[in-house]
Amino acid sequence: MAEPVAAGGMPVEVVYAPAPREVVALALHLPIGSTVGDAIHASGLLQRCPELQLDGLALGIWGTATTLGQVVCAGDRVEIYRPLTVDPKTARRERFRQQGARGAGLFARKRPGAKSGY
């Protein structure tokens, strides 16, 4: 259920992670009927982070992919995603290669006296 809209507009949050373990979260109040594109423009992130180009951005609302024209609701969290630098499957293979079979997956934390894989 959507929360009541205050006189100043509806609350929306715009989130972007310019680097690993670094998050920029901005709380905004936008007019009813605003779109994802309006929220991004109002946040000022395009000026603050010059690497962002409006066309070609990967966007989401609460983890669900969306477009610039999607209308936002009160309480929505607009997320701007960075492009992947490494294929996740390749990264997993590299981690496994570095850790070895005993340090990954089911075998990573074995209780003393437990059977293998438990």
Side-chain angles (χ1 to χ4, degrees), residues 14 18 41 48 53 86 88 98 110:
V14 178
H41 281 293
R48 188 174 175 179
Q53 299 298 320
V86 178
Q98 290 173 355
K110 187 172 123 181

Side-chain angles (χ1 to χ4, degrees), residues 5-115:
V5 178
M10 61 181 170
V12 175
E13 186 177 25
V14 178
V15 180
Y16 174 60
R21 294 173 195 40
E22 181 183 339
V23 177
V24 177
L26 303 165
L28 308 170
H29 281 15
L30 299 174
I32 296 173
S34 296
T35 63
V36 170
D38 296 335
I40 293 170
H41 281 293
S43 71
L45 277 174
L46 295 176
Q47 292 79 24
R48 188 174 175 179
C49 302
E51 71 272 12
L52 291 177
Q53 299 298 320
L54 197 55
D55 53 335
L57 284 178
L59 304 167
I61 295 179
W62 288 110
T64 303
T66 190
T67 62
L68 288 170
Q70 174 69 38
V71 176
V72 293
C73 299
D76 276 353
R77 175 186 167 117
V78 176
E79 300 163 344
I80 303 172
Y81 305 120
R82 280 183 289 139
L84 294 176
T85 56
V86 178
D87 178 36
K89 290 180 182 179
T90 304
R92 184 173 181 270
R93 282 189 205 106
E94 289 299 318
R95 277 194 312 273
F96 186 81
R97 189 175 307 143
Q98 290 173 355
Q99 294 171 352
R102 298 247 180 237
L106 292 174
F107 308 104
R109 288 183 233 119
K110 187 172 123 181
R111 292 186 323 228
K115 295 181 183 176

